[in-house]
Amino acid sequence: EPEVTQTPSHQVTQMGQEVILRCVPISNHLYFYWYRQILGQKVEFLVSFYNNEISEKSEIFDDQFSVERPDGSNFTLKIRSTKLEDSAMYFCASERYPGGGNEQFFGPGTRLTVL
Amino acid sequence: AQTVTQSQPEMSVQEAETVTLSCTYDTSESDYYLFWYKQPPSRQMILVIRQEAYKQQNATENRFSVNFQKAAKSFSLKISDSQLGDAAMYFCAYRRGGTSYDKVIFGPGTSLSVIP
C-alpha cells in the first residue's frame, strides 16, 4: 500500500543552523501539508501547498520557514535558522482530492532536536 | 475559530473491555467532518474513523464506533474488546467540509493504556 515517507527520522542540529526536512508524498497526491507536534502537545498545522504554491499558513510559519516541491516527488520544509523552540516532531501529509471528508495520509514524522 | 477539546489526558482499559474517549468541538460551520486518529509509539498517525456532520448515523469500523451528538458538539470514540495493540495516543480532529482542501485541527489527545 502506498505511504508517505519522511527523512530523516531524527535530526539533531545546533541553534541557528538551517535544516531541511524531506517528505515523499504518495505519488498521485496533489495536496501537501506540514504539521508539527511539540512533545506532549497537540499536533498543529503549519502550511498547506498545492500547485507549487502555499495555500494557507499558520502564524507559526514565519519567515524562517519555507516549503518547496523541488522535483515533482519530494516535498521539503526548510527552517532557515533553528531556534530551541523548533524542537518538535514534524509530520508531512498528503491527499489526492480536495474535500473535508478525504483522508490526509500522514508520514511517520521527523523528530527535530535543536541544541 | 474551530477548536477541539479532549478532557481526558490519560485513560486505561483492561484487555477485552470497552472504553470510551471523549471529545467536544466548537464550530459555526454546518458542513464539517470529525475524525479519530491513532498515534502509536511508532508516531505514525493512522485514521481510525471519520464522521460526516450531515449524517445522523454514527460511524462504525469493526471494534471502533462513535457517538456523534451534533447539537451538543460531542464526538466520543468507543473501543470494544480492547486489545494490547490499541494502546496509543488518540486524537480527535475536525476538518471543514466542502470541496476545498483545508487543514485538520487536532485536539490535545488522550493517551490510552491497555492493561493485560
Side-chain angles (χ1 to χ4, degrees):
Chain A
E1 186 174 334
E3 57 185 22
V4 178
T5 59
Q6 290 185 243
T7 53
S9 57
H10 190 190
Q11 172 103 38
V12 181
T13 189
Q14 295 290 325
M15 190 169 59
Q17 294 296 302
E18 174 183 288
V19 295
I20 297 176
L21 310 183
R22 291 182 168 79
C23 168
V24 179
I26 294 172
S27 63
N28 60 357
H29 284 192
L30 301 173
Y31 302 86
F32 313 111
Y33 307 81
W34 282 102
Y35 295 81
R36 81 169 186 192
Q37 183 183 28
I38 295 173
L39 189 63
Q41 299 185 24
K42 64 180 175 181
V43 179
E44 301 172 291
F45 167 77
L46 290 177
V47 66
S48 58
F49 190 87
Y50 168 69
N51 200 25
N52 283 320
E53 287 183 347
I54 289 175
S55 309
E56 184 183 358
K57 57 184 181 181
S58 72
E59 61 275 8
I60 303 168
F61 195 89
D62 61 21
D63 292 344
Q64 293 299 313
F65 290 87
S66 62
V67 289
E68 193 178 31
R69 189 153 160 80
D71 56 12
S73 61
N74 289 284
F75 178 50
T76 61
L77 174 70
K78 183 194 291 186
I79 309 175
R80 240 179 297 280
S81 177
T82 50
K83 305 193 252 312
L84 294 176
E85 54 265 37
D86 294 327
S87 294
M89 197 77 170
Y90 288 81
F91 293 99
C92 171
S94 72
E95 63 184 344
R96 174 156 173 76
Y97 298 108
N102 292 323
E103 179 180 354
Q104 288 188 9
F105 291 82
F106 285 81
T110 292
R111 180 177 298 284
L112 176 65
T113 302
V114 182
L115 302 176
Chain B
Q2 296 86 12
T3 57
V4 179
T5 303
Q6 294 175 251
S7 59
Q8 306 152 316
E10 296 178 353
M11 291 280 284
S12 61
V13 62
Q14 291 284 143
E15 197 175 359
E17 296 294 306
T18 296
V19 65
T20 299
L21 309 184
S22 301
C23 172
T24 58
Y25 61 95
D26 191 26
T27 183
S28 57
E29 304 276 346
S30 58
D31 183 11
Y32 56 89
Y33 291 79
L34 297 165
F35 306 85
W36 279 98
Y37 281 89
K38 171 185 177 182
Q39 187 185 41
S42 66
R43 310 295 292 183
Q44 182 114 30
M45 202 83 67
I46 302 163
L47 178 64
V48 174
I49 198 165
R50 90 188 82 188
Q51 174 80 41
E52 183 177 355
Y54 277 117
K55 289 188 176 174
Q56 292 193 346
Q57 187 173 4
N58 289 321
T60 61
E61 287 286 344
N62 301 313
R63 297 183 296 107
F64 298 88
S65 61
V66 298
N67 184 4
F68 175 47
Q69 301 288 325
K70 190 172 183 179
K73 293 181 179 167
S74 167
F75 182 62
S76 60
L77 174 70
K78 186 170 83 171
I79 306 174
S80 304
D81 185 25
S82 298
Q83 300 174 359
L84 294 177
D86 295 333
M89 184 71 96
Y90 286 82
F91 292 99
C92 180
Y94 166 99
R95 194 179 189 194
R96 196 167 55 187
T99 56
S100 65
Y101 50 101
D102 199 8
K103 59 186 175 289
V104 176
I105 298 171
F106 290 88
T110 296
S111 178
L112 178 67
S113 303
V114 180
I115 303 163

